[in-house]
Amino acid sequence: MTLSSGALFALGLFAAIWLLAGLWAVGRGVAMQRRSAFVAGQAERLAGLVDASPYLPVIVRADWRVEAGERLGRWLGLDRGPRNFDELRGLGAGLDAQGHDALRQAIVGAQRGAKPFTMSLKPQGSERTIVIHGGAAPQAVGGPGGVLLWLSDATDGQHALAQARSDRDEAMAAFEALSGLIEAAPFPMWFRENDLRLALVNRAYVRAVEAKGAAAVIEGGIELCEPIAGVSAAEAADEARAAGTAQTRTIPVTIEGERRIMRVVDVPLAPEGGRVIGIAGYAIDIQELESERGAHRRFADTQRELLDRLSAAVAQFGPDQALLFANQPFRRLFALAADDVAEARPFARLLDAWRDGGRIPEVRDYPDWRQAHVDWFAKPGASEEDWLLRDGTHLHVVAQPTPDGGMLLLAEDRTEQVQLAGARDTLLRVRTATFDNLFEAIAVFAPDGRLHLWNQRFRRLWGIDEPTLAAHPRVDVLMGGLADRLAKPNQISIVQEVIRAATLERTQRVGEVRFADGRHFDFASIPLPDGNALLIMLDITPSRKMEEALRERNEALEAADKVKTAFLSRMSYELRTPLTSIGGFGEMLQAGYAGKLGEQQRAYVDAIMDSVAVLARQIDNVLDLAQGEAGTLVIERAPVDMKALLDKALADAKPLAAGEKIELVGNIAAAVGTVEADAPRLSRLVAGLLDNAIRFTAPSRKSGGRVLLHADGDAKGVDIIVSDNGPGMPDAVVAVTKGTQAGTQSGGIGLALARQLVAAHGGTMEVMSEKGQGTLVRISLPRGA
């Protein structure tokens, strides 16, 4: 059959529509399948969440059917999950009758009034506690009249709650005990809240501030500590809170009207790193402690000051073996610097340093020696040693352990004692040898009169055997048997008496005895510092003979000196008479009484007059020297203008200086003034000094000779100095100026006379001379007689 084109079109269109409808149906089915799988997955995840949740959902429908998982049966101790409400109660399992009825009533109330409820039940025969939260179920979940219950196992929570209640009770008991302890504490304690106000104080606090009670203290905000350096007690507590740690202050506090030193502590309270809930505080009275510390500190300072004054070296080490103190002798002896004490160096390290510095003995095994000395700290008693150092120092060392585990180290330098002991032995041997070789007979008697020491000359002098002397007899017994040795036996009592005076009266006595054989002895008893008495006997027989010879010679010398003095005096007068005549005739010739003189004649006459003046001055000098030695020199005092006198002396000496080519310089101050003196003799004195200076300088100086006359004065006197740059004077001439040697030269005679004239005026003369440099003569004269 042949279809028309329209029919074919319609048929094709229908097929296409059918194909499209099929494709849509297939797509829709696939989409629904995917959605169903998604819903199933979601349902499975929700079921898993429910199973994993600590809460168990239970639906009780209006007809009391129960929809729940098997977990409910396990919680209730049933064999399987209940299917209706009555199955919740079983024999020995499930809910008991009372719990079952109570749950029923609660569900009924929720069904009727949509009132939610919460209750806890405990299944029979189980320690499990189940908490039930119930309320009307949504229509989509429980249908009309349905109730949704959420059950949770609160067994662990209940145990924790019980434990918490128990802990709370214990904490409250501990808090009550602590509160009682704080209240009974003998020192003030308090608590501040975060606003820094007082919230709690104990009875000691109330007594300290003298308040009526704790309420009055808290209400009035009465602070125990007044502001110190501008910081109040609340501000100090705030600083502790800000720091997060306890803060301690030592401040003065008034306690019951008395000023005391207190240690105040503020402690911020925060639970395990949480925020601070308050600040606790307490104050401890340390007045007695501070007083004891001050007394101990003063005692220690006094002790160390005393140790510094000791000659013995002392060092103190602490329980950690560190150096705490060393006095000055110890520092010097062991070469300790201030840093060694300040750094508190250990004893072992000090030993090492002392070894390097040679302040300990040289030992073969130093490590063992070092350890043995470090062990001194642990010994129960003191340890003593003698150390010989490399430089020859001898030390006696004592180590005394202290009760606190430290050690006191004392070192005494016995070098001098050892040296003295050796020197003493040497001195004893030297003394014995010296005593035995002395020219004197020596014996030492003890304070009780017994013979203590003697030399061999004493034994031989008295003719006593050694055993008798070795018995140390008393002086009366010893001397009683020696009287027959003397020319006059009764003089033995004199010897006994001088020994008794030296031992008992501590006075020195002397005497002389003559032995029967004609020998003469001087003896003396001398008190010794140790209480003994020294008897010395010296043979003066030769000196007695010499004395007689010297006495005879002295008498002859005195007679000769008198003859010399008389001769010089007579010769001075005998020479003065013709010299006066010569001078007189010379003056007449100069005056022209014999006629006018020619120039040559006048020069001769002037030379004669100069020689007359020099000779007259020498005669006067010799006469004055003789009178001075004889002690008959008379000084005629009168006011003397010293400047005029010295100027004239300079003028008179200038011709001689010019002739000798000597520079003569005068330096005379106006302050020389006047003195009470013998003007002629004083003029001769100065002229003689200038003359000697010019004459002694001239031969040694071809050019450049210089003589200086210097004079100055003050209220007490006048100083005259004559100096030159000549060759200096011989020692013998200088000795004349000191009166130790007679003058034998012109210079010596002039200086000797000058010394006598200065002494006669009450002054002093000093001569200083050095060979090749010159001579200086200083004369000091008083103003008055």
Side-chain angles (χ1 to χ4, degrees), residues 580-592 597 605-606 608-609 612:
T580 302
S581 299
I582 295 172
F585 286 120
E587 290 177 355
M588 290 175 65
L589 289 174
Q590 285 179 332
L597 299 177
V605 172
D606 290 342
I608 292 172
M609 292 305 296
V612 168

Side-chain angles (χ1 to χ4, degrees), residues 519-544:
R519 291 179 297 167
H520 291 263
F521 284 87
D522 276 344
F523 65 90
S525 63
I526 303 172
L528 299 179
D530 59 357
N532 294 335
L534 174 65
L535 176 65
I536 302 176
M537 299 186 68
L538 178 63
D539 187 352
I540 60 172
T541 304
S543 64
R544 275 300 179 87

Side-chain angles (χ1 to χ4, degrees), residues 451-466:
L451 180 65
H452 181 54
L453 295 173
W454 63 93
N455 65 352
Q456 293 300 316
R457 191 171 295 274
F458 181 85
R459 184 185 64 80
R460 292 194 297 268
L461 171 64
W462 292 98
I464 311 172
D465 56 11
E466 193 68 30

Side-chain angles (χ1 to χ4, degrees), residues 284-619:
I284 301 176
D285 189 343
I286 59 172
Q287 180 70 39
E288 286 76 13
L289 177 61
E290 289 296 317
S291 299
E292 289 298 326
R293 283 180 176 173
H296 181 268
R297 186 164 49 251
R298 290 190 296 272
F299 173 76
D301 293 341
T302 303
Q303 184 184 46
R304 292 184 174 182
E305 183 179 356
L306 175 63
L307 292 177
D308 270 337
R309 297 178 181 271
L310 293 179
S311 60
V314 182
Q316 183 180 3
F317 294 86
D320 57 353
Q321 301 185 3
L323 179 63
L324 300 179
F325 168 77
N327 66 352
Q328 293 296 333
F330 194 94
R331 295 184 185 184
R332 289 193 299 269
L333 187 60
F334 288 93
L336 282 179
D339 294 341
D340 295 328
V341 181
E343 293 176 4
R345 292 193 177 181
F347 180 61
R349 287 181 55 192
L350 287 176
L351 289 177
D352 296 338
W354 294 344
R355 183 193 184 197
D356 296 338
R359 308 315 297 167
I360 62 173
E362 296 288 348
V363 294
R364 177 175 299 177
D365 191 349
Y366 172 71
D368 286 349
W369 185 92
R370 178 177 182 267
Q371 185 58 45
H373 288 73
V374 170
D375 292 342
W376 276 352
F377 285 86
K379 287 192 174 182
S383 303
E384 295 189 40
E385 286 186 0
D386 290 316
W387 292 1
L388 175 59
L389 309 186
R390 70 174 68 155
D391 60 357
T393 302
H394 291 261
L395 297 182
H396 182 68
V397 180
V398 179
Q400 176 63 57
T402 55
D404 61 352
M407 183 177 68
L408 199 64
L409 188 65
L410 297 90
E412 182 183 4
D413 189 349
R414 292 189 174 179
T415 306
E416 186 175 355
Q417 297 180 17
V418 173
Q419 293 174 349
L420 287 176
R424 176 180 176 273
D425 295 339
T426 303
L427 285 175
L428 288 176
R429 293 191 296 270
V430 171
R431 183 191 67 180
T432 301
T434 303
F435 278 11
D436 288 342
N437 289 279
L438 289 175
F439 291 103
E440 296 89 351
I442 293 178
V444 178
F445 291 87
D448 60 356
R450 291 187 175 275
L451 180 65
H452 181 54
L453 295 173
W454 63 93
N455 65 352
Q456 293 300 316
R457 191 171 295 274
F458 181 85
R459 184 185 64 80
R460 292 194 297 268
L461 171 64
W462 292 98
I464 311 172
D465 56 11
E466 193 68 30
T468 301
L469 297 175
H472 302 286
R474 292 178 58 87
V475 62
D476 51 352
V477 176
L478 177 64
M479 293 300 171
L482 303 177
D484 58 346
R485 270 75 162 177
L486 302 181
K488 295 180 180 180
N490 59 349
Q491 287 186 332
I492 198 69
S493 61
I494 300 176
V495 180
Q496 296 181 17
E497 178 60 24
V498 297
I499 296 174
R500 187 196 66 81
T503 54
L504 299 181
E505 300 175 7
R506 310 298 297 163
T507 58
Q508 183 172 335
R509 298 284 182 85
V510 296
E512 181 181 342
V513 293
R514 183 167 63 89
F515 276 64
D517 56 6
R519 291 179 297 167
H520 291 263
F521 284 87
D522 276 344
F523 65 90
S525 63
I526 303 172
L528 299 179
D530 59 357
N532 294 335
L534 174 65
L535 176 65
I536 302 176
M537 299 186 68
L538 178 63
D539 187 352
I540 60 172
T541 304
S543 64
R544 275 300 179 87
K545 295 178 180 179
M546 183 65 69
E547 181 182 344
E548 292 296 331
L550 290 176
R551 185 179 295 111
E552 294 174 359
R553 183 177 179 184
N554 186 59
E555 291 174 354
L557 290 176
E558 288 180 354
D561 189 61
K562 290 179 180 179
V563 171
K564 181 195 71 172
T565 303
F567 172 75
L568 289 175
S569 299
R570 183 174 182 81
M571 287 300 297
S572 298
Y573 284 109
E574 291 293 335
L575 290 174
R576 189 184 298 277
T577 300
L579 191 61
T580 302
S581 299
I582 295 172
F585 286 120
E587 290 177 355
M588 290 175 65
L589 289 174
Q590 285 179 332
Y593 288 105
K596 186 177 180 181
L597 299 177
E599 291 184 4
Q600 188 68 28
Q601 293 171 333
R602 181 171 294 278
Y604 290 157
V605 172
D606 290 342
I608 292 172
M609 292 305 296
D610 291 340
S611 298
V612 168
V614 172
L615 186 58
R617 187 165 62 247
Q618 292 295 336
I619 291 174

Side-chain angles (χ1 to χ4, degrees), residues 75-143:
W75 281 8
L76 295 178
L78 300 175
D79 295 336
R80 62 183 181 86
R83 296 294 179 264
N84 58 60
F85 188 78
D86 290 337
E87 291 181 4
L88 295 178
R89 181 177 63 181
L91 184 61
L95 300 179
D96 58 8
Q98 183 178 358
H100 188 270
D101 292 340
L103 180 58
R104 180 186 295 275
Q105 294 297 327
I107 292 174
V108 171
Q111 289 175 341
R112 294 178 180 177
K115 181 180 179 181
F117 63 89
T118 299
M119 60 187 305
S120 61
L121 298 175
K122 182 175 290 188
Q124 300 181 78
S126 173
E127 295 294 330
R128 190 187 303 273
T129 299
I130 299 176
V131 177
I132 303 174
H133 299 277
Q139 286 286 338
V141 176

